[in-house]
Each structure stands twice: as structure tokens, then as C-alpha cells.
Amino acid sequence: MFLNVGGVAHHVVVEGTGPVVVLSAGLGMSWFDWDPVVPSLAAHRTVVRFDRPGHGLSGPAPVPPSAAGEAGRIAGLLDALGVAGPATVVGHSIAGFHAEAFARLYPDRTAGLVLVDSSVEEHARPPAAPALRLALARAAAAALCRAGVPAALGPALRRATVRASRTGGADPAPRDLVRSCYRTSRVLRGMVLENATYGAVAAELRCLRRELGLPAVPVTVLAGGAGGPAWTARQRALASALGARFQLASGAGHLVMLDAPGVVAGAISPTPPLP
């Protein structure tokens, strides 16, 4: 289905019944990257997957992302779906910033927070000349689109990136879905926009951490074990800073949901709720 949130058509997939879980994937990823995780959750959870603007099948991004803006996007999606009660919010990679911001800004709407190999920027500061940085990124994206790069190389680059980001083999996504998303200039522009504002979003979240507390809900930090000792240490430190439970998916790469979907599902929903 498509829901209008903030003037953008958002592609949303809802499956299952029970307490609500919202899944948001990392930079350049799509709703179908959660496919291996959903069957284990949908038997006892209402699973909501969505594509951020410029990702998957959603419309193009009208404004640069921000931590508060992405948290508000999640709240707007829940409103559009008629979800009044609290939801467990799951963020992978850069979407970990968004999920944590949601938990801080909307504590009454948060039932739990799960960060899946989340981005970590311990010393983030607002970048210099953000407007210039953004203008250069948009110009670069426009040049690549005019040169036909998305249509010519988009799917192949997607496949190569997924293979490099996991330990379990090739990209399992259906070829037709990959082509329909990654051959478009819309997705390339969306990825470039999120990448260009990465530092600003990280710095904004750091400010929110200083200003706002986390709700008294379960928080889990799940790390991919293939990231190495230094990455694992940073993920452990994140868990400690958030008062979270730390879990390591041994042998999994950055795309933990593809390499260890059962571990991800267990971190999100350790036990089915009582009927």
C-alpha cells in the first residue's frame, strides 16, 4: 500500500497480528531486505515495513533528512495506519539513528527499541558548511543520473554492496524487485541525500541524548559479529550508554537480517506475548 505522509507517497507493507513492530532498514536498503525476518514475527506481531523517501518504492525525498524529521515520519506512518498504542521500533544501520530519535521524542508511543548493527558516531558534531555539502551532493547525484548510471549500474551495484555487507552469500532479493527500485534515479538521489546528511543527523541525535531521556522500555543493541573486535566494542559501548541489552550475532555481517534472521527476530520478540 501507499500512504501519504508529509506530502510523500510512502510504500508500506503490513503483515501479521498483535503488538506493532516497525522495521526500518539502512541506507539504500528496501522493504524486502527484511523478508527473512518477517515470518518469525508475523505469527504474533503486526509487522510494519516502510521505505523512506527515495528508497524502495516510496516517492522522492522533498527535504533533507533529520533525526527529528525521521522520528516524525515514523509517528506519521503510525498515525496513517491508525496505530494509537505504543510500538517497538527497529532500526538497522543509519536507521538506528531514526529509531532512537523516535524513542526519545515519542516516549509514550514506544514499547521497545532494537538497534540492528546500528551506525555509531560517538563524537559527532554538526558538519561545516552543510548547505554547500548538500548542494554538492545534489549536483553529483544529478550528474550521475544524467549519465545514466542508475539504469546501467544500479542493480549490479546493489548486488555487489549486499554481497560485501554479509557473510552468508549473494543478494537473495528477487531480481525484478531489485531492477524496479535500483534502476531509478529516485533511489540514487535518495541514497546520496541521506549520505550527505549523515553527520548532521548523528550530531542532532547526540544533542537529543543530552536533552532527553529514553523511555523505560526494553532496549536491545544487536551487532553483527563479522564487524571485528573494534566494531563489537563500539556496539557494546552504545548498549552501555543506552542501558541496553547487548547481543552479538556471531558470524553475521552488517546485513544481520539476511545472515541471521532468526537472531534478529529473537532480539525483537524474545517470546510470543500471552494470548
Side-chain angles (χ1 to χ4, degrees):
M1 77 173 78
F2 287 87
L3 297 175
N4 189 308
V5 177
V8 178
H10 287 71
H11 176 239
V12 184
V13 178
V14 182
E15 297 158 281
T17 58
V20 175
V21 173
V22 180
L23 306 178
S24 186
L27 175 67
M29 308 307 288
S30 299
W31 86 96
F32 51 74
D33 290 304
W34 293 104
D35 277 354
V37 177
V38 171
S40 298
L41 293 175
H44 50 274
R45 293 285 191 268
T46 299
V47 182
V48 178
R49 295 182 276 171
F50 73 99
D51 294 321
R52 294 188 301 280
H55 288 62
L57 297 178
S58 288
V63 296
S66 66
E70 295 307 312
R73 187 182 314 285
I74 296 171
L77 284 169
L78 292 174
D79 288 342
L81 289 169
V83 176
T88 297
V89 182
V90 183
H92 165 253
S93 193
I94 193 175
F97 291 161
H98 311 157
E100 185 184 336
F102 176 86
R104 293 183 184 279
L105 290 168
Y106 299 89
D108 293 341
R109 306 192 70 173
T110 305
L113 173 65
V114 180
L115 305 178
V116 180
D117 219 49
S118 177
S119 297
V120 181
E121 296 296 336
E122 299 90 339
H123 309 294
R125 290 180 173 81
L132 177 60
R133 181 188 298 265
L134 191 60
L136 291 173
R138 282 176 162 155
L144 290 171
C145 292
R146 285 195 300 269
V149 170
L153 299 177
L157 290 174
R158 144 81 196 200
R159 298 286 191 191
T161 300
V162 170
R163 181 182 288 275
S165 301
R166 58 176 308 213
T167 57
D171 184 358
R175 187 171 298 274
D176 60 333
L177 290 181
V178 170
R179 287 175 60 85
S180 67
C181 294
Y182 293 89
R183 283 175 56 87
T184 67
S185 61
R186 172 181 48 78
V187 169
L188 185 144
R189 291 174 190 269
M191 292 167 59
V192 169
L193 192 61
E194 282 203 347
N195 186 65
T197 54
Y198 173 88
V201 172
E204 184 186 353
L205 178 62
R206 193 175 179 210
C207 289
L208 291 177
R209 287 173 177 166
R210 290 195 296 263
E211 297 169 3
L212 303 171
L214 272 173
V217 298
V219 181
T220 298
V221 171
L222 173 63
W231 179 246
T232 298
R234 295 176 70 190
Q235 293 284 308
R236 285 187 183 275
L238 175 63
S240 178
L242 299 179
R245 179 174 70 98
F246 176 78
Q247 187 173 352
L248 187 68
S250 300
H254 182 53
L255 297 178
V256 189
M257 60 276 219
L258 299 184
D259 284 338
V263 176
V264 174
I268 296 169
S269 179
T271 56
L274 295 174

